[in-house]
């Protein structure tokens, strides 16, 4: 059991460390346009676009960025909650190609696997709608840049 915990801690540390290096180098800024598209759809402030892109690499790193913004007094707890939900959306994209199509559909068979896959995608769509609703309702239109 302790080996599992140790491996998990190492992975979390490495993902946070590598993501921070990429942020410091400004590499996430180059892919910010992907996040901007989704922040535009959900009507969320633009600063969520960087955390969204970071969550493709590590959702822990992306959510850590949100907590640091709250510690600086730039966002509220409600905005952290909405941001964490928003940062979980890339999981649906990643898992579609990593697990759903190559593993789950062949294991479950084409009919059951397809039902499972479409249920998974539908869940992601409903989460997007929920984030859209919460973003319009509770997020302010403030904008700022992350400190490098």
């Amino acid at each position: 059991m302790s080996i599992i915990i140790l491996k998990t801690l190492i992975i979390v540390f490495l993902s946070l460390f590598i993501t921070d290096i990429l942020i410091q180098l400004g590499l996430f800024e180059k892919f910010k346009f992907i996040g901007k598209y989704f922040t535009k759809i959900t009507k969320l402030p633009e600063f969520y676009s960087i955390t969204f892109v970071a969550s493709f690499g590590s959702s822990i790193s992306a959510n850590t960025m949100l907590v640091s913004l709250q510690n600086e007094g730039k966002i509220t707890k409600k905005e952290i909650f909405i941001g964490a939900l928003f940062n979980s959306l890339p999981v649906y994209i990643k898992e579609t190609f990593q697990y759903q199509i190559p593993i789950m559909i062949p294991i479950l068979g084409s009919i059951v696997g397809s039902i499972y896959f479409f249920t998974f995608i539908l869940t992601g769509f409903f989460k997007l709608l929920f984030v859209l609703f919460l973003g319009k309702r509770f997020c302010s239109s403030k904008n700022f840049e992350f400190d490098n």
Side-chain angles (χ1 to χ4, degrees):
M1 184 70 159
S2 62
I3 292 180
I4 294 171
I5 294 171
L6 181 62
K7 286 181 180 179
T8 303
L9 289 174
I10 289 170
I11 291 170
V12 168
F13 172 76
L14 287 175
S15 66
L16 287 170
F17 183 72
I18 292 169
T19 303
D20 189 52
I21 288 172
L22 295 175
I23 290 168
Q24 295 300 323
L25 293 174
L27 294 178
F28 280 125
E29 287 288 330
K30 293 180 177 156
F31 296 104
K32 190 175 169 182
F33 69 92
I34 297 168
K36 279 185 181 181
Y37 174 75
F38 284 100
T39 55
K40 191 174 184 181
I41 290 172
T42 55
K43 306 287 191 225
L44 293 173
E46 193 177 304
F47 64 83
Y48 283 110
S49 62
I50 290 253
T51 63
F52 183 78
V53 171
S55 68
F56 277 97
S58 169
S59 58
I60 294 170
S61 297
N63 291 333
T64 302
M65 292 167 68
L66 290 175
V67 170
S68 70
L69 290 175
Q70 194 232 356
N71 290 341
E72 295 171 12
K74 294 181 178 179
I75 62 175
T76 65
K77 286 186 179 185
K78 285 181 185 177
E79 291 171 322
I80 286 179
F81 176 75
I82 295 165
L85 286 174
F86 184 60
N87 290 341
S88 70
L89 292 174
V91 169
Y92 292 93
I93 298 167
K94 287 187 334 185
E95 286 193 5
T96 294
F97 298 104
Q98 287 178 336
Y99 303 110
Q100 303 299 325
I101 294 172
I103 297 171
M104 296 309 292
I105 293 176
I107 288 175
L108 297 175
S110 60
I111 294 172
V112 176
S114 295
I115 291 169
Y116 183 83
F117 173 72
F118 287 116
T119 303
F120 178 77
I121 295 299
L122 194 61
T123 304
F125 178 72
F126 282 126
K127 187 182 267 189
L128 178 64
L129 291 178
F130 188 60
V131 170
L132 175 71
F133 169 75
L134 291 176
K136 284 184 177 182
R137 173 98 183 180
F138 295 109
C139 285
S140 64
S141 60
K142 58 188 163 195
N143 250 332
F144 48 83
E145 294 295 321
F146 280 96
D147 298 328
N148 285 341

